[in-house]
Every structure is written in C-alpha cells, then in structure tokens.
C-alpha cells in the first residue's frame, strides 16, 4: 500500500484537486526530464525494505480538508486521501514500479478470454472492530454499494461495462457478476474484456456488517458524514481516525491488529500515528515545514530555489520528480439544462459563446504559459497541450494541435466571427450586439492556482473580453460542478494516473464529471460521441499498442475541440525531512507509509 500517492478507485482518479502543491512544469525539455526519469527508475530498482523500528509520528500540513467520510460517495481528492489510510482494495499499485500487486487478495487467476476472474483472499484480515474480513464483504461492496440503484457510488463508472448493441446500434451498459464462492474466494464474471481490470480492483472494499443496515434503511447517503464519531468508520487499513477537528487537524492512529508484518515478523505499520494539520493556504504549509512542525512538503516553484541552500541546516532533502499526472485548465460551462425551478444553468447568450469551438480556440491562444512558468512556477514548469500527461509514457500524444500564446491570432479568430468592439469601450460584442461578459472562478487557498488564473483572466481581458475574477470556497466550487451547475467559467484541477482509463469519468459524455456538460443522455456532439467510443474501446482492448493508438486519437480530437483549455503541468517537487527509513523518490511516490519509520528515535 502506497500512501505517498494513494490508489483511489478508478472513478475517483479524475476527481477535483483542492490544492495541488505540484508546480506546473517544461514542455519539451527532454534532456532534463529524461535524466530525472532515469534517476527515479534507478531509485526504484535499487530499493529494498529494511526492518524498521516502531513508534513516532509523520506530520504533514495540507490546505485540503475532507468533504465526507463516506468514501463510496466522495468526489474530491481530500476525502479520498484521508480515507485511503483506512480502506483497502483487493489489489494495489506499487509506488516503486506502478505494477499491480496483491493486497487483500493473495492471488488470482483468469480465463483465457479474460472474462472470468477468481480472487483468493487473505484469511488473516480483520476490520477495525475485530470482525473477520471475508468474501461476503467483497460481494456486498460490488452488488450493494457500487451497483446500488439508490445512490451513485463514485467508483461505479469503472465497473459499468459499455458495449455496442449490434441490433440497435446503441451503446449499452452491463455490470459484472460478483459472487462469493466460499469465505475467502470471490468470482468476477465480466460481460466483456476490461484491460485495466486488475488496477481497478484497487477500489475500496467496505464492511457488510456495518453498511448493510443504512443501505437497507435508505440512509446511506447520510451515513459516515463529517460529524460521525471517527471510531465508527471501519476499514481494514493500517490506520484509523483517532481525532478530527474541522479546520485544524486529523490524527490517524496505528491499527495494532493490521495484518501485514515485516520480514522479521514485526507487525506493521511502524509509525504510531500520522497527523495532517489543516492550514488556510500554501504559504502556511511552507511555514510549518520551515519551523519543523511538518516532515514533508510539496514544494512550489518559487520555493525551490529558496529552500535549496537551507537543506543541510534544516535537515531535509529536495526532490524533483518530473511532470505530474494532474492537470489544471480553464473550462466554460456548456450545459444547456435547467434546474428544478426551470431556470437555465447558463444564460443562453453566454451558452452560445461557450459552445462555439472558435471562441474556445481563440481563448486558448490567450494562455501565456511562459508567464505562468516563469512568473508563478519560477521556471519549474511544463506547458500542457494534450489531455494526457507525458508522465503517462507512451499513452501521451505529443503531436496534438497546439495553441501558442498569440493575441493577434486570437483577435483574428473573433474578428472572423464578427465579435468586435463596436462601441470602442474596450469590450467586444458578439455578432448580435451582446457584450462578451462572464464570471471566472477558482478556489481560494491555492495561491499558485489563483496566480495562474489571474494570468488567464489578463489574457482574455487584453482580447477584449469582460471577465470578472472571483475566488470561492473549494466546497462551493465542487457543488457548482457536481450539483448546482451554476457557473460560467472556471479554472480547476483534476488528478491523473499512469493509465488514461481513469479519465473516463471526465471524458465520457454520460458521466457526472464531464464537467462542461455532464450526464448527457446522448452525446451532444459528434466529437464527444467519438471520444466516448475510443475510451470504451481502449478499456476493452488487451493489446497495449492498440490501446495507445486509441487513446492518442482521443487526445487529438480533444485538442481540436478544446472543451478544456490547459495551462501547465506540475513539476513534482518535494522536500522530506532526513529522519525516515524505507523511503526513496520514484516516479510514483516516496514511500509505502506502512513501512515508513523514523530514524531519529
């Protein structure tokens, strides 16, 4: 189990990032990036676990706070990060190699056609309350939680198998069949092959004996809310929540009955506790690291040069880990729907602008990515053009359409639409005479994102667009994207992963996180229909080379239609106190928190 980059259910991989402290980083500076990748791979290849010592605390500071303790319903990275200490899946993804490894399952086998999988579970795992973990918990998790018709589980998308009905020509969805064959054996029967199936088996398993009652009573959506006694949140993971003080801190306590042991037979985890101190902004995160309160810190570009000469005196090591998987982008609300009161989510005048691909392409040319990298990320940045990060290896398509910073070209595009400043007030009007005016929001607390958004706003203002820039609470922003849909333009971030399938919740038109126009009954455009087809086909394709081609075509289409206008990718920068054993920087993390131990005790 890796906690430095915790595995989240596939449907949650594309969740909103509250405050990524990864700094955007270099587009095509191949030599430095390749050197970093080689070094990180050498680290992983040369690493082996040592037998550590028990005791001590890992302390981190974060601006990200959970929005729920119900992992099955969560759509935010803060909740997922917190609950990854408590819940486990049948498999996990290695922080060293990114390979799928056994976790709650000891082994598995599959049929030659890839449709039938049988998992053999560990027989020594207990839930935090002492109840034995069995195959019935797995069966319950999929049949009663993930596939429930009474609520929408966030990981459901990963297990809805889409296929084209040859008789109707329509896309249809089918679940897989999940059955406990005995106390420690589970069978999965898939309706079609699914390439990332083993990776998706990292989705959390939930306790049947705790959750079957609220599900039966139709109260599951209110269960495990933030006011729940932490002792009632029961998982199988290495830690429990000992304390939660909203806005202040979360304390994770060592699970003394955890099933995993080291090579000497010592029970893991080594640490007694993990403490997350909740702070207001990224500057506070740095201050807590500098004063010795926190043990690790996600370094920002402007902090890197300042911290470098302090490393020896303050006993920490700085790390560079190349471009991140997560993305930051500008989006316009293209949702034509109405709320319960019959009111449109978006003014029809604005909707006409936002749905115009030429408008979005013009705005893409106003993105001054060099200013973002030099002025905000202090040179540690990578312009992003494709929807899949270069960190994903050969899945990344480097040859998509690009929209370099070019205000003259942006102006030409709008002029061609006859969207001009006809009254010389500095604001363009569309061809019907409507001033092009809208509100742009991003979340407060993340100064890097706020500064990037200010550059985004400035570029559009120079183009003659009337943009009102506002900072909003992250919870409000999530609500606007997933519930109320009452936003116009937004800069936000999504997490990513090494397998592009995790992005299906964002890119499939029928998904709730297809944020510019979610939950489409039918694709609104031909290009969205094609992207749907490509993501579905890639998930069923077992040949890696063919999957690469499918995902690369999807990236080409997305770049041409720019539903999301990308800014820059994060250079993954970090600082870790020199007081830990069993840690090394890799492409995928720093450590497995179960094996992490303090060397200063």
């Amino acid at each position: 189990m890796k906690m430095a980059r915790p595995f989240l259910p596939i449907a949650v991989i594309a969740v909103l990032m509250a405050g990524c402290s990864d700094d955007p980083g270099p587009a095509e500076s191949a030599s430095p990036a390749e050197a970093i990748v080689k070094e990180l791979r050498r680290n992983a290849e040369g690493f082996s676990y040592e037998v550590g010592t028990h005791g001590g605390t890992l302390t981190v500071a974060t601006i990200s706070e959970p929005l729920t303790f119900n992992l099955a319903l969560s759509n935010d990275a803060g909740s997922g990060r917190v609950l990854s200490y408590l819940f486990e899946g049948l498999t996990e993804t290695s922080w060293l190699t990114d390979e799928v490894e056994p976790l709650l399952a000891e082994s598995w086998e599959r049929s030659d056609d890839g449709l039938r999988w049988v998992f053999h579970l560990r027989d020594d795992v207990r839930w935090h309350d002492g109840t034995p973990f069995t195959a019935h918990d797995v069966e319950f998790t999929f049949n009663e939680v993930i596939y429930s018709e009474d609520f929408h589980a966030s990981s459901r998308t990963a297990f809805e198998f889409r296929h084209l009905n040859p008789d109707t020509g329509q896309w249809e969805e089918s679940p897989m069949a999940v059955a406990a064959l005995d106390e420690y054996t589970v069978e999965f029967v898939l309706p079609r092959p699914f390439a990332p199936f083993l990776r998706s088996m990292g989705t959390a398993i939930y306790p049947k004996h705790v959750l079957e009652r609220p599900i039966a009573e139709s109260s599951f959506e209110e269960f495990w809310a933030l006011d729940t006694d932490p002792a009632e949140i029961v998982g199988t993971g290495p830690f429990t929540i000992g304390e939660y003080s909203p806005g202040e801190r979360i304390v994770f306590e060592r699970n003394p009955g955890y099933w995993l042991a080291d090579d000497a037979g010592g029970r893991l985890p080594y640490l007694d506790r993990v403490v997350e101190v909740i702070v207001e902004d990224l500057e506070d995160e740095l201050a807590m690291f500098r004063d010795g309160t926190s043990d690790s810190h996600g370094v920002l570009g402007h902090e890197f040069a300042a911290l470098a000469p302090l490393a020896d005196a303050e006993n920490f090591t700085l790390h560079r880990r190349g471009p991140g998987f997560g993305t930051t982008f500008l989006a316009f609300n293209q949702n034509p729907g109405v709320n319960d009161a019959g009111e449109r989510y978006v003014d029809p005048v604005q909707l006409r602008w936002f749905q115009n691909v030429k408008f979005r392409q013009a705005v893409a040319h106003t993105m001054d990515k060099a200013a973002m990298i030099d002025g905000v990320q202090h040179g540690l940045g990578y312009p992003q053009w494709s929807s899949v990060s270069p960190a994903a290896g050969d899945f990344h398509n480097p040859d998509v359409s690009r929209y370099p910073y070019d205000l003259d070209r942006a102006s030409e595009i709008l002029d061609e639409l006859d969207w001009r400043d006809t009254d010389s007030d500095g604001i363009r009007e569309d061809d019907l005479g409507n001033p092009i005016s809208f509100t742009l929001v991003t979340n407060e607390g993340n100064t890097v994102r706020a500064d990037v958004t200010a550059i985004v706003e400035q570029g559009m203002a120079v183009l003659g667009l009337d943009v009102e820039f506002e900072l909003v609470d992250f919870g409000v922003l999530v609500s606007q994207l997933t519930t109320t849909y009452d936003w116009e333009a937004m800069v936000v971030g999504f997490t990513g992963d090494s397998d592009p399938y995790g992005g299906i919740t964002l890119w499939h038109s029928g998904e709730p996180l297809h944020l510019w126009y979610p939950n489409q009954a039918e694709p609104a455009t031909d290009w969205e229909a094609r992207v749907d087809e490509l993501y579905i086909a890639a998930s069923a394709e077992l040949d890696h080379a063919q999957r690469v081609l499918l995902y690369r075509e999807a990236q080409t289409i997305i770049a041409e239609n720019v539903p999301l206008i990308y800014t820059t990718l994060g250079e993954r920068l970090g600082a870790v106190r020199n007081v830990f054993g069993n840690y090394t920087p890799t492409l995928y993390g720093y450590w497995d928190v179960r094996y992490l131990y303090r060397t200063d005790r």
Side-chain angles (χ1 to χ4, degrees), residues 15 20 27 58 94 151 176 211 245 273 281 312 324 343 372 459:
V15 295
C20 174
L58 167 68
S94 171
F151 51 83
M176 61 184 175
L211 298 185
S245 300
R273 64 190 59 83
D281 54 43
D312 289 340
E343 302 166 331
M372 297 173 192

Side-chain angles (χ1 to χ4, degrees), residues 477-494:
L477 182 144
V478 172
S479 177
Q480 288 177 326
L481 280 178
T482 62
T483 306
T484 63
Y485 309 120
D486 57 344
W487 59 281
E488 295 167 6
M490 180 182 294
V491 172
V492 69
F494 268 63

Side-chain angles (χ1 to χ4, degrees), residues 179-250:
L181 302 183
D182 58 38
E183 288 296 289
Y184 298 105
T185 309
V186 187
E187 177 190 63
F188 296 80
V189 179
L190 283 60
R192 64 170 180 80
F194 183 47
F197 180 68
L198 280 178
R199 189 176 293 264
S200 73
M201 284 291 100
T203 197
I205 303 300
Y206 300 109
K208 177 180 180 180
H209 67 286
V210 175
L211 298 185
E212 60 182 344
R213 180 174 178 178
I215 288 179
E217 295 176 349
S218 300
S219 60
F220 183 71
E221 291 180 281
E222 292 75 45
F223 201 70
W224 282 350
L226 287 179
D227 58 357
T228 302
D229 179 350
E232 297 178 7
I233 305 168
V234 176
T236 60
F239 292 90
T240 62
I241 299 178
E243 173 194 341
Y244 173 51
S245 300
E248 297 180 11
R249 67 176 188 165
I250 307 173

Side-chain angles (χ1 to χ4, degrees), residues 96-110:
L96 294 167
T97 65
D98 200 44
E99 296 295 324
V100 176
E101 299 176 342
L103 192 57
L104 294 179
E106 285 188 312
S107 63
W108 51 81
E109 62 262 0
R110 69 173 177 86

